[in-house]
Amino acid sequence: SAASDVYKRQLLEYQYQNCELSLQEGLEIYYNEIGKEQLLTGNGVGLDTFIRGHDCQHVIFGLGLSIEEESILDTYALNATDGIPWIDFAKYYFGGDGELGKLYATLFKQFGFIGLIKKMFEVRQQKLLARKKIKLMTKKWPWVVNESNFSKKITDIRNEYNILILTKEELGLNEPTYIEYAN
């Protein structure tokens, strides 16, 4: 059936609504999935809290590493958080070793500008569904995560904010696309 073909890869443990892991444990799974070679650090511009905030959003909103999920996460970042720190984003893009700029260059090289727009368009239904779920939240998730949250269970945080993540079926990614890094 079509439902059995949906999202062929296994979900990461934090991608289940009632995940009993702590936020820190979920973050470690996320980092292991990225791999040390591709891990963004904010090198040179002291923006580790900016990067960590983005990474925590992947965990809290239950999204993996595909280009499609990154596009869905943009919907959460813009609408479900207390705001993107744009000055930090600009510092990170242009400052230090240009780590974020290099990532975007890789994306544009692999997909092209039009290709990236198409990827965003492909997940428009998931983005609309995410926006509906965001409207049910009782408060915005902070971009800069309070240290006390890292020891809390993901399910408890989601309950506190009334965060309902997209299920595997709602994500519906038959063939997720990933960045191909040059070695």
Side-chain angles (χ1 to χ4, degrees):
S1 80
S4 63
D5 291 337
V6 170
Y7 215 55
K8 294 175 184 172
R9 75 164 173 82
Q10 277 296 97
L11 292 180
L12 301 172
E13 198 170 342
Y14 68 80
Q15 291 185 278
Y16 293 95
Q17 180 68 43
N18 297 315
C19 177
E20 292 287 324
L21 297 175
S22 70
L23 177 56
Q24 183 62 46
E25 291 167 329
L27 202 54
E28 288 168 14
I29 288 170
Y30 173 78
Y31 288 147
N32 286 337
E33 188 73 9
I34 292 175
K36 287 184 171 51
E37 314 78 42
Q38 276 68 251
L39 190 62
L40 298 179
T41 62
N43 283 347
V45 286
L47 294 172
D48 54 328
T49 56
F50 173 82
I51 298 302
R52 189 169 69 164
H54 170 82
D55 296 344
C56 285
Q57 290 170 35
H58 275 276
V59 174
I60 288 301
F61 298 115
L63 294 165
L65 302 168
S66 71
I67 301 299
E68 294 86 357
E69 288 165 291
E70 198 67 55
S71 180
I72 296 165
L73 186 65
D74 290 345
T75 301
Y76 285 102
L78 289 167
N79 300 287
T81 69
D82 61 5
I84 296 173
W86 290 108
I87 291 173
D88 288 346
F89 178 86
K91 285 180 190 174
Y92 186 43
Y93 190 90
F94 297 108
D97 65 3
E99 192 176 50
L100 190 58
K102 290 175 188 174
L103 174 64
Y104 279 106
T106 300
L107 285 169
F108 286 123
K109 184 176 180 182
Q110 185 175 344
F111 301 103
F113 180 75
I114 300 299
L116 286 173
I117 298 297
K118 284 180 182 177
K119 288 289 172 200
M120 290 172 28
F121 187 73
E122 287 172 11
V123 292
R124 67 190 177 284
Q125 294 302 320
Q126 293 91 330
K127 290 166 88 61
L128 285 171
L129 186 53
R131 286 184 66 101
K132 288 179 182 175
K133 291 184 180 220
I134 290 166
K135 288 180 181 180
L136 300 173
M137 289 175 58
T138 54
K139 56 186 173 178
K140 303 263 185 178
W141 176 252
W143 192 286
V144 177
V145 180
N146 186 312
E147 290 299 318
S148 66
N149 280 323
F150 288 97
S151 61
K152 291 181 182 176
K153 288 182 181 181
I154 293 169
T155 188
D156 292 342
I157 295 170
R158 288 176 179 157
N159 287 337
E160 179 183 344
Y161 288 80
N162 198 37
I163 294 170
L164 301 172
I165 66 171
L166 297 173
T167 66
K168 186 175 186 174
E169 292 73 26
E170 289 169 336
L171 280 171
L173 302 175
N174 291 323
E175 295 182 30
T177 311
Y178 297 93
I179 299 173
E180 294 174 14
Y181 293 96
N183 292 329

